[in-house]
């Protein structure tokens, strides 16, 4: 499964193609909240994370999510990933708990993903 990095809008068709190449109805992704970059695809969130780190992103700025392109805007994001376990940043589990961070991530993804 290929990983693609986006810094501008991604169409629903591209997202559906990534989903079909991977899990069928879902795409794993990692966002750099400072650089507004999305890495999408791959088998694991860690694959996307590695791609962004290789491109100069900082670990503290990277957060994992799943996106379901066939679902509505209200339901298409899932903030669940092993890379989100960050005790130093106050996130003790796989799910992103910080409401402000979740909102920031959703706003960036909503701007970049055309659903």
């Amino acid at each position: 499964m290929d990983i693609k990095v986006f810094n501008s809008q991604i169409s629903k068709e591209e997202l559906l193609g990534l989903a079909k190449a991977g899990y069928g109805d879902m795409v794993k992704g990692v966002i750099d909240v400072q650089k507004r970059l999305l890495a999408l695809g791959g088998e694991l969130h860690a694959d996307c994370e590695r791609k962004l780190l290789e491109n100069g992103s900082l670990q503290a700025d990277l957060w994992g999510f799943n996106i379901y392109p066939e679902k509505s805007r209200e339901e298409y994001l899932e903030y669940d990933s092993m890379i989100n376990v960050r005790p130093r940043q106050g996130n003790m589990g796989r799910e992103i708990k910080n409401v402000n961070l979740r909102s920031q991530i959703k706003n960036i993804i909503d701007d970049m993903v055309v659903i």
Side-chain angles (χ1 to χ4, degrees):
M1 289 183 251
D2 288 336
I3 297 168
K4 296 187 178 183
V5 177
F6 298 90
N7 63 0
S8 60
Q9 283 194 327
I10 175 176
S11 70
K12 184 173 184 175
E13 291 74 28
E14 287 176 288
L15 202 55
L16 287 169
L18 288 169
K20 287 181 183 175
Y23 291 94
D25 67 338
M26 181 264 292
V27 178
K28 290 190 180 266
V30 173
I31 186 169
D32 181 325
V33 293
Q34 293 304 313
K35 294 184 177 183
R36 297 178 61 93
L37 294 174
L38 296 178
L40 300 172
E43 188 175 344
L44 303 169
H45 291 103
D47 299 329
C48 293
E49 178 185 46
R50 182 175 50 253
K51 186 81 156 179
L52 290 175
L53 289 170
E54 289 170 354
N55 287 311
S57 291
L58 300 175
Q59 177 70 48
D61 299 333
L62 302 180
W63 296 92
F65 62 91
N66 299 315
I67 189 165
Y68 295 83
E70 298 280 17
K71 292 187 176 184
S72 70
R73 281 269 182 209
E74 294 77 31
E75 299 176 329
Y76 82 131
L77 279 178
E78 183 179 73
Y79 304 91
D80 181 37
S81 170
M82 286 300 296
I83 73 162
N84 295 338
V85 178
R86 307 267 180 86
R88 287 184 182 169
Q89 289 179 265
N91 205 72
M92 303 306 281
R94 294 169 38 123
E95 185 177 350
I96 299 170
K97 297 293 186 181
N98 182 298
V99 175
N100 292 330
L101 179 59
R102 284 173 72 123
S103 178
Q104 181 183 10
I105 290 168
K106 182 164 179 19
N107 288 338
I108 293 169
I109 294 172
D110 283 349
D111 286 346
M112 293 181 72
V113 175
V114 178
I115 295 282

